[in-house]
């Protein structure tokens, strides 16, 4: 099995997937244990600050974020229980894991200012920040540099190490001709490695999550216009 402990999971009710509902509810969890016969122990998801006891025998479409990429299959919840102070569910896989092929996007080399902060599973699921009133917002953000960007993700440098599968928000601005486009996107950290000869910095690759088509199109347009202007400058047209 390609699934490992700690892998993040997105669960969507199978009936919503089949009906192609426009507003699918996504539940976030992670793998705690791999049991016998392919059964997985996962955390009971949290939504809107509350633990959600998803129904036993309910079927879901599951996306697993693994070292081999994004894997998908259908699952069924077989049991729910509490162990210590934690709430768990056991799930059984109903189909073979298959790799989800996402469109490859052209990466544009750049050097852009940005800032990031980690977000909780609750915020990622609900879109509602769970910040404490006594903590200034500025403290939660860390400045970073974007080294390349595409419609699917980005590569950055940061002074903060982040574990693989950490969910973050990244905020940045793109100039698209005379327009200013402001982005505030969720992203999943795919890798975080120290930079050679600069151990205080880390290079991180991330995949944008929950990005709208309009936002993706703006990033692609920024890349297209930047490449076009660079070519024009090279041949002396601008």
């Amino acid at each position: 099995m390609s699934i490992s402990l700690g892998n993040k999971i997105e669960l969507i009710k199978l009936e919503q997937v089949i009906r192609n509902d426009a507003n699918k509810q996504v539940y976030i969890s992670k793998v705690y244990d791999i049991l016998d016969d392919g059964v997985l122990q996962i955390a009971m998801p949290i939504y809107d600050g509350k633990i959600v006891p998803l129904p036993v025998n309910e079927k879901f479409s599951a996306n697993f974020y693994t070292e081999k990429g994004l894997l998908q299959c259908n699952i069924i919840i077989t049991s729910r229980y509490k162990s210590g102070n934690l709430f768990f569910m056991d799930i059984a896989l109903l189909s073979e894991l298959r790799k989800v092929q996402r469109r490859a996007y052209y990466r544009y080399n750049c050097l852009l200012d940005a800032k990031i902060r980690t977000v909780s599973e609750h915020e990622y699921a609900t879109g509602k920040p769970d910040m404490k009133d006594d903590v200034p917002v500025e403290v939660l953000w860390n400045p970073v540099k974007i080294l390349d960007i595409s419609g699917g993700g980005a590569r950055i440098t940061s002074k903060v190490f982040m574990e693989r599968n950490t969910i973050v928000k990244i905020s940045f601005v793109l100039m698209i001709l005379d327009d200013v486009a402001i982005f505030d996107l969720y992203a999943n950290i795919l890798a975080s490695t120290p930079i050679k000869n600069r151990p205080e910095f880390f290079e991180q690759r991330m995949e944008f999550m929950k990005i709208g088509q309009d936002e993706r199109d703006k990033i692609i347009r920024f890349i297209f216009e930047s490449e076009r202007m660079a070519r024009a400058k090279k041949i002396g047209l601008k």
Side-chain angles (χ1 to χ4, degrees):
M1 183 181 289
S2 300
I3 297 171
S4 302
L5 303 186
N7 285 164
K8 288 190 179 293
I9 315 169
E10 291 180 345
L11 296 172
I12 304 173
K13 284 187 177 181
L14 189 56
E15 62 181 35
Q16 289 186 322
V17 175
I18 293 172
R19 293 199 310 261
N20 195 26
D21 286 354
N23 298 311
K24 301 181 184 69
Q25 177 61 60
V26 179
Y27 298 99
I28 308 301
S29 182
K30 66 178 178 180
V31 177
Y32 267 83
D33 200 359
I34 300 173
L35 308 176
D36 295 335
D37 301 321
V39 175
L40 304 177
Q41 180 193 57
I42 69 172
M44 204 172 288
I46 295 176
Y47 183 80
D48 203 17
K50 299 178 181 178
I51 294 173
V52 182
L54 298 178
V56 173
N57 294 326
E58 185 83 49
K59 295 179 181 179
F60 289 80
S61 173
N63 291 325
F64 296 86
Y65 290 84
T66 76
E67 292 185 358
K68 294 188 176 181
L70 183 62
L71 303 179
Q72 189 275 334
C73 74
N74 296 332
I75 63 96
I76 187 170
I77 297 173
T78 59
S79 65
R80 301 191 316 240
Y81 51 94
K82 182 180 180 183
S83 179
N85 294 323
L86 301 176
F87 293 85
F88 296 103
M89 305 184 302
D90 287 349
I91 63 173
L93 278 56
L94 297 177
S95 59
E96 295 291 329
L97 287 166
R98 65 181 184 88
K99 189 166 186 178
V100 178
Q101 298 294 335
R102 293 192 168 177
R103 179 181 171 187
Y105 294 94
Y106 172 74
R107 294 183 180 181
Y108 174 68
N109 292 324
C110 56
L111 190 62
L112 302 171
D113 290 323
K115 58 183 181 179
I116 63 172
R117 63 176 175 84
T118 58
V119 303
S120 66
E121 293 178 359
H122 165 259
E123 179 178 347
Y124 178 69
T126 65
K128 299 176 182 178
D130 48 359
M131 301 175 183
K132 296 181 180 179
D133 294 336
D134 58 346
V135 178
V137 174
E138 294 77 12
V139 174
L140 302 175
W141 291 94
N142 294 298
V144 300
K145 292 286 186 181
I146 298 177
L147 302 179
D148 67 42
I149 192 169
S150 74
R155 180 169 59 94
I156 67 170
T157 59
S158 168
K159 286 187 176 181
V160 179
F161 175 80
M162 286 173 287
E163 296 282 353
R164 177 184 170 85
N165 288 327
T166 299
I167 300 296
V168 301
K169 256 203 171 180
I170 179 167
S171 179
F172 57 94
V173 176
L174 297 180
M175 291 294 299
I176 308 172
L177 296 180
D178 294 329
D179 295 331
V180 177
I182 300 173
F183 295 86
D184 197 23
L185 302 175
Y186 290 110
N188 182 44
I189 299 296
L190 301 177
S192 184
T193 55
I195 296 177
K196 190 176 181 180
N197 300 324
R198 300 187 71 187
E200 72 276 18
F201 284 92
F202 300 90
E203 181 179 290
Q204 284 134 355
R205 292 188 298 108
M206 61 177 61
E207 177 185 20
F208 296 141
M209 311 287 286
K210 293 187 178 181
I211 181 172
Q213 190 58 49
D214 182 62
E215 294 170 312
R216 203 188 302 276
D217 288 344
K218 285 180 179 178
I219 294 175
I220 293 171
R221 184 175 174 228
F222 162 75
I223 295 171
F224 174 81
E225 294 295 346
S226 299
E227 291 277 27
R228 183 185 63 80
M229 288 190 291
R231 288 194 300 268
K233 186 176 181 179
K234 187 174 182 179
I235 63 176
L237 295 179
K238 188 173 182 179

